[in-house]
Amino acid sequence: MKNWFISILNKYKQLKIKNKLILTILLIMIGSLSFILVGFQYAFHVYDQQYYQKTTEVLHMSSNQLEKELKNIEEISFSVMTDNKIQRILSEVKKNDNPYERYQLENELWDLLTDYVGSSKYIHSIHLLDVNGVEYRAGGFSSPIISNQKEKWIEIAEENNGANQWVTETDSNKIFVIRKIRAHKNLSLDNLGTLLIQVNLDRIVEDSISEENKKTNNMMISSDTNQFFYKGSSIELEKIPYLPKTKVGYQITTIKSKKYFITHSTSSHVNWVYWNIVSFNSIISKVKTTKYVMVGIFLLLNCLVLLMAIVFSGKLTKPIEQLVLAMKNVQNGNLSITNVLKPAESKDEVGILTNHFILMINRIDRLIKENYEKQLLIKDTEFKALQAQINPHFLYNTLETINWQAKINGQTDISSMVESLGYLMRNAMKMKNDVVPLEEEIFIVSHYIRIQKYRFGDRLVFREEISPNTKNCYIPKFMIQPLVENAVHYALERMMETCEISVCAFLRENILHIIVEDNGPGMEDTLLEQVLKQEGKTKGNGIGLSNIDARIKLLYGDAFGLTIKSKAGVGTKVCLSIPNEWR
């Protein structure tokens, strides 16, 4: 079992995120559906129990209300039986044979009975049978049952000796109260007749049931003979469905292949049993319909959620799949991912990851290109340095020999030129320090200018405007001398007038600015472009302005470097910017 679970778990882990998401949502939906179905089943079971209980209580309440009215009618029957006037009239009728007087007594008796009929809306009619069997009636029409069964009623009354007796007629929905009337004057207990009251049972049942329960009420009443004498239900039953074992209860019974929900309540006043019989299908039909509708809606919603999950998972995992494909391309050495992966517009985690990955690849690609260019620049510089490396000791010794020979012959100018040239060459050959103070770099420039002064004489005017706070700032070695050399080449050599070349240095916002400016003929845009591309050769060591700019950017970043402003007939200005560094 454990191995099986581990195997399933491993297969789940191997699935794609899209399939994992769909499978997880599907499992959640199945679990939810199972829980809902169990919950529905339990809820409907509780509802059924509550319905059964409520129906039983309703029947019990209705039967109590009905018996309350029956007791009231019993009290009326007792009042009629013991009424002094009625007893007097029955006694006189018994003795008096005069037709006129009997007629008067009958009218008086009718008036009395009419009053009693009006005392309860449930009394249909009141009948009195005197000792001679003559019937006196008040109320509704006379029932043939009463006229045809006088002997039966009298016999029943005799058996109960004046006590109240309820008599039912099977399948007629009629009930009767019967009492024997005996004279209570002087406790003679002479027989005066028989009292029979017909009760409107239909009205009592109707009034004893509340409006909200009338639709579900199918009351039936059975007597002690286990026969129905009242049927308010349209359901035809030939016999009592079962014998009640409890006073109040319910049972689900199958009769003629049909299920019925039957509640009963046994009367504590008379030997009757009250029944409420409902077809079981009519009870559960709405419940079943509700259950199926709810389950159908839930399934529909689950299908909709599953469809949305499939669409959503596809949109969610598609950028991830593209990202994985781009990573595979990068893994294979292809940094061009524009055809595979596009910048994401969404700001969610996947979109942020995609954009950051694209940014990272672009930076890696740019760094590779920059590193490649820098390596080429370094190799080119190293090659030119190797070309320029003539045996320095031989060169220094030769220059010293020329210097001493010039001093011996009194050639001070030649001696000064040789000393400046030797200083320049010694500094150029020193590989120990890559950066030097600005003051030292300006000193190198001054030696270079001294040599050029011997060459051009008064045509060269050189000025220095160096702020005192910049002299100790460190700059890369041989940054300014090539710029001055370019000014001599492109300005001084190409004009006959006096050429002014100036070097200016100042600090601004902790950035060192060095400006080399001349008033020469300037450069056209095409010539300026050739200079930047190192196509126009200088008379110096051959390291062009583009190499200086590349060197600065290599050391300090792309924010620093050279800018050149030149205009034909006005002059040229070369601006060098590097961060301020103190050593």
Side-chain angles (χ1 to χ4, degrees):
M1 181 68 179
K2 183 178 180 181
N3 294 332
W4 176 81
F5 177 76
I6 294 175
S7 176
I8 296 295
L9 186 61
N10 290 332
K11 289 183 180 179
Y12 176 80
K13 290 179 179 179
Q14 299 303 320
L15 293 175
K16 293 183 177 180
I17 295 178
K18 177 181 178 180
N19 297 333
K20 282 183 182 178
L21 184 61
I22 295 174
L23 182 59
T24 302
I25 294 176
L26 184 61
L27 291 175
I28 292 174
M29 290 168 53
I30 293 174
S32 300
L33 180 61
S34 302
F35 179 78
I36 290 295
L37 290 177
V38 172
F40 276 169
Q41 193 67 27
Y42 177 75
F44 288 129
H45 174 72
V46 173
Y47 170 80
D48 291 342
Q49 297 297 321
Q50 293 292 328
Y51 177 82
Y52 301 156
Q53 190 67 30
K54 182 181 178 182
T55 305
T56 304
E57 292 175 358
V58 168
L59 177 64
H60 186 62
M61 291 173 60
S62 300
S63 62
N64 288 339
Q65 183 66 26
L66 188 148
E67 291 191 350
K68 180 180 178 182
E69 298 299 333
L70 295 180
K71 291 178 181 179
N72 184 44
I73 294 174
E74 286 185 9
E75 293 176 358
I76 294 174
S77 69
F78 181 77
S79 298
V80 173
M81 180 186 70
T82 57
D83 189 289
N84 292 329
K85 293 181 179 180
I86 293 177
Q87 289 216 348
R88 177 183 59 80
I89 293 172
L90 291 175
S91 298
E92 292 180 1
V93 168
K94 181 179 179 181
K95 300 175 181 178
N96 197 335
D97 294 331
N98 188 320
Y100 176 74
E101 290 181 359
R102 287 178 63 88
Y103 176 75
Q104 292 291 334
L105 292 172
E106 288 176 6
N107 288 336
E108 185 179 357
L109 183 60
W110 183 86
D111 290 337
L112 292 172
L113 294 178
T114 301
D115 291 339
Y116 280 109
V117 170
S119 63
S120 175
K121 63 179 179 179
Y122 303 117
I123 296 178
H124 178 269
S125 59
I126 299 178
H127 306 262
L128 280 178
L129 301 175
D130 61 14
V131 292
N132 298 318
V134 178
E135 179 183 355
Y136 304 92
R137 177 182 60 82
F141 56 87
S142 178
S143 173
I145 297 175
I146 297 174
S147 302
N148 298 333
Q149 300 185 30
K150 290 182 181 181
E151 293 78 8
K152 175 183 175 181
W153 309 129
I154 294 173
E155 182 180 351
I156 293 173
E158 285 287 349
E159 291 177 355
N160 288 276
N161 199 24
N164 182 81
Q165 178 65 36
W166 287 98
V167 179
T168 61
E169 288 292 327
T170 304
D171 296 329
S172 66
N173 287 358
K174 292 181 175 63
I175 58 174
F176 304 91
V177 174
I178 299 177
R179 283 182 180 270
K180 189 68 175 178
I181 302 177
R182 295 184 180 277
H184 58 77
K185 187 177 181 180
N186 298 324
L187 297 177
S188 62
L189 300 179
D190 293 337
N191 181 20
L192 297 179
T194 302
L195 171 64
L196 188 145
I197 300 177
Q198 181 176 342
V199 179
N200 193 340
L201 185 58
D202 286 326
R203 292 191 64 182
I204 297 179
V205 172
E206 183 179 357
D207 291 347
S208 64
I209 301 171
S210 61
E211 291 293 331
E212 60 179 347
N213 296 315
K214 283 184 178 180
K215 293 182 179 180
T216 59
N217 181 70
N218 292 298
M219 181 178 281
M220 302 177 74
I221 306 175
S222 63
S223 63
D224 53 356
T225 60
N226 292 331
Q227 295 291 324
F228 289 114
F229 65 86
Y230 175 81
K231 292 183 179 181
S233 172
S234 59
I235 301 172
E236 293 293 333
L237 294 179
E238 298 178 356
K239 61 180 181 178
I240 302 298
Y242 62 87
L243 294 177
K245 297 180 180 179
T246 58
K247 185 176 181 180
V248 178
Y250 65 87
Q251 187 171 331
I252 298 173
T253 304
T254 301
I255 301 175
K256 294 182 179 180
S257 302
K258 291 184 178 180
K259 294 179 71 175
Y260 293 93
F261 173 67
I262 303 174
T263 58
H264 70 269
S265 178
T266 304
S267 173
S268 58
H269 182 64
V270 290
N271 293 326
W272 295 350
V273 179
Y274 302 96
W275 305 84
N276 188 16
I277 303 175
V278 183
S279 173
F280 192 74
N281 290 332
S282 66
I283 298 175
I284 64 172
S285 60
K286 291 184 178 180
V287 176
K288 281 186 176 179
T289 302
T290 304
K291 185 188 297 183
Y292 293 147
V293 169
M294 293 298 292
V295 172
I297 292 174
F298 188 78
L299 288 174
L300 182 63
L301 290 176
N302 275 264
C303 293
L304 183 62
V305 170
L306 183 60
L307 179 62
M308 293 175 63
I310 294 174
V311 175
F312 174 74
S313 62
K315 291 184 177 180
L316 179 64
T317 57
K318 184 177 179 180
I320 299 177
E321 292 174 354
Q322 292 177 345
L323 187 59
V324 171
L325 181 60
M327 289 180 178
K328 289 182 178 179
N329 286 349
V330 174
Q331 185 179 1
N332 294 329
N334 183 11
L335 296 179
S336 179
I337 59 173
T338 55
N339 296 330
V340 180
L341 191 64
K342 302 294 182 183
E345 297 180 357
S346 61
K347 301 300 180 182
D348 57 9
E349 291 80 355
V350 178
I352 294 173
L353 180 62
T354 300
N355 292 334
H356 284 188
F357 179 76
I358 293 174
L359 180 62
M360 181 186 70
I361 295 302
N362 291 336
R363 286 181 178 177
I364 292 174
D365 188 38
R366 186 170 67 251
L367 288 174
I368 291 175
K369 291 180 179 178
E370 290 178 356
N371 186 59
Y372 180 73
E373 293 174 354
K374 289 175 183 178
Q375 292 298 325
L376 290 179
L377 179 60
I378 291 171
K379 289 184 179 297
D380 182 63
T381 304
E382 289 176 350
F383 178 73
K384 289 184 178 180
L386 289 173
Q387 286 181 331
Q389 280 183 357
I390 304 172
N391 192 331
H393 295 290
F394 172 76
L395 190 58
Y396 295 155
N397 292 333
T398 303
L399 289 176
E400 285 293 329
T401 302
I402 296 172
N403 184 26
W404 281 106
Q405 190 66 41
K407 287 182 178 181
I408 292 172
N409 294 324
Q411 300 293 328
T412 56
D413 290 344
I414 295 175
S415 175
S416 178
M417 290 175 61
V418 171
E419 287 179 355
S420 294
L421 180 59
Y423 180 81
L424 288 175
M425 295 193 68
R426 282 187 180 90
N427 279 279
M429 295 300 176
K430 286 180 182 178
M431 305 301 291
K432 184 177 180 180
N433 296 324
D434 293 330
V435 292
V436 295
L438 178 62
E439 185 176 19
E440 183 177 333
E441 184 73 8
I442 295 297
F443 191 65
I444 294 173
V445 173
S446 65
H447 280 281
Y448 174 77
I449 292 296
R450 180 193 290 182
I451 296 173
Q452 297 299 334
K453 274 279 190 178
Y454 286 110
R455 178 184 175 191
F456 295 103
D458 294 337
R459 288 177 56 204
L460 173 59
V461 176
F462 180 74
R463 292 198 309 271
E464 294 180 8
E465 298 179 6
I466 309 300
S467 298
N469 60 347
T470 63
K471 292 183 178 181
N472 293 324
C473 296
Y474 277 78
I475 67 171
K477 193 175 182 180
F478 277 101
M479 284 284 111
I480 303 177
Q481 186 272 333
L483 302 181
V484 176
E485 183 178 348
N486 279 329
V488 171
H489 176 66
Y490 291 105
L492 180 59
E493 291 182 357
R494 300 187 183 189
M495 60 186 297
M496 298 302 296
E497 298 83 1
T498 301
C499 179
E500 294 183 1
I501 299 175
S502 64
V503 177
C504 176
F506 59 91
L507 283 171
R508 180 182 296 165
E509 296 181 356
N510 207 33
I511 296 176
L512 178 61
H513 296 274
I514 301 172
I515 300 174
V516 178
E517 187 174 4
D518 65 71
N519 63 342
M523 291 181 285
E524 299 291 343
D525 292 339
T526 55
L527 180 58
L528 179 61
E529 186 177 355
Q530 289 177 357
V531 171
L532 291 174
K533 291 182 178 180
Q534 207 176 346
E535 295 176 357
K537 298 295 183 180
T538 66
K539 292 183 179 180
N541 57 11
I543 300 177
L545 298 180
S546 60
N547 281 349
I548 297 174
D549 184 61
R551 186 180 173 193
I552 293 173
K553 285 181 167 54
L554 178 62
L555 292 172
Y556 304 109
D558 293 339
F560 304 96
L562 285 179
T563 58
I564 302 175
K565 297 180 181 178
S566 184
K567 188 175 182 182
V570 176
T572 303
K573 180 189 292 187
V574 180
C575 301
L576 172 65
S577 62
I578 61 175
N580 179 25
E581 291 187 354
W582 295 76
R583 298 291 176 93

